[in-house]
Amino acid sequence: MPSKNIPLREKLKTVTPSGKKDESFFELVFDVVMEIPKGRVTSYGAIAAALGTRSSSRMVGWAMNGSHRVRPKVPAHRVVNRQGLLTGKMHFEYPDQMQELLEKEGVQIVDDKVVDFAKKFWDPVKELGLE
DNA sequence: CTATTGACGTATG
DNA sequence: GCATACGCCAATA
């Protein structure tokens, strides 16, 4: 039951830009991020690709900016840049929180970078069967 | 309205 | 590997 296989791309198209806050770009990003398994990480570009806006990876990061005030919990700490670098760590409650959370899940961090990023990488496009 | 910025990515030199 | 430029789109001033 592809209930989880939400047509994000279609959803995105139906979204009215600068329209309402119902299902903005942010929600789409959050949906994907919350699907990230524990101990895994993904990149902004991957999420953007999953949403069909491969080139708009920046918007993904921007969406995460509001992840704080968003419902229950968005594991933003599992989202890193393509280098596996914890670029957004400074946006958490405190810089080291991101690293702590990741290490707590079994993800080693060295020099603000994910160890074995290739192995830990979780591709939303492939896992969710998008595109 | 324009200009700037941003938790990015790719291309180019 | 580093610097620079561009794209992409939304929020903010």
Side-chain angles (χ1 to χ4, degrees):
Chain A
M1 49 350 284
S3 297
K4 279 297 174 70
N5 279 11
I6 42 181
L8 295 173
R9 294 214 304 166
E10 312 248 329
K11 219 171 175 183
L12 181 65
K13 288 190 172 185
T14 21
V15 166
T16 54
S18 69
K20 292 188 174 183
K21 298 173 62 180
D22 282 68
E23 307 199 32
S24 47
F25 197 93
F26 301 66
E27 290 236 349
L28 299 176
V29 176
F30 300 150
D31 286 344
V32 175
V33 174
M34 284 190 280
E35 289 297 317
I36 302 174
K38 176 185 169 190
R40 292 291 204 92
V41 293
T42 190
S43 64
Y44 304 95
I47 296 172
L51 299 179
T53 58
R54 180 169 72 86
S55 313
S56 307
S57 38
R58 281 180 160 166
M59 301 299 92
V60 177
W62 199 255
M64 304 315 294
N65 217 328
S67 63
H68 256 285
R69 49 191 263 164
V70 180
R71 297 244 258 160
K73 48 191 166 186
V74 179
H77 59 275
R78 297 186 186 140
V79 184
V80 296
N81 70 349
R82 221 192 192 296
Q83 308 170 41
L85 204 68
L86 282 58
T87 51
K89 66 180 207 171
M90 55 163 91
H91 286 266
F92 282 80
E93 298 181 40
Y94 52 94
D96 290 340
Q97 184 174 33
M98 189 173 187
Q99 180 169 338
E100 286 182 16
L101 291 170
L102 287 171
E103 290 182 328
K104 198 173 178 182
E105 295 181 354
V107 179
Q108 288 182 304
I109 307 298
V110 175
D111 193 26
D112 297 335
K113 191 178 66 180
V114 176
V115 179
D116 293 329
F117 177 62
K119 291 183 180 180
K120 306 287 185 182
F121 183 71
W122 180 84
D123 190 347
V125 178
K126 186 175 181 179
E127 300 298 328
L128 297 178
L130 297 172
E131 286 189 296

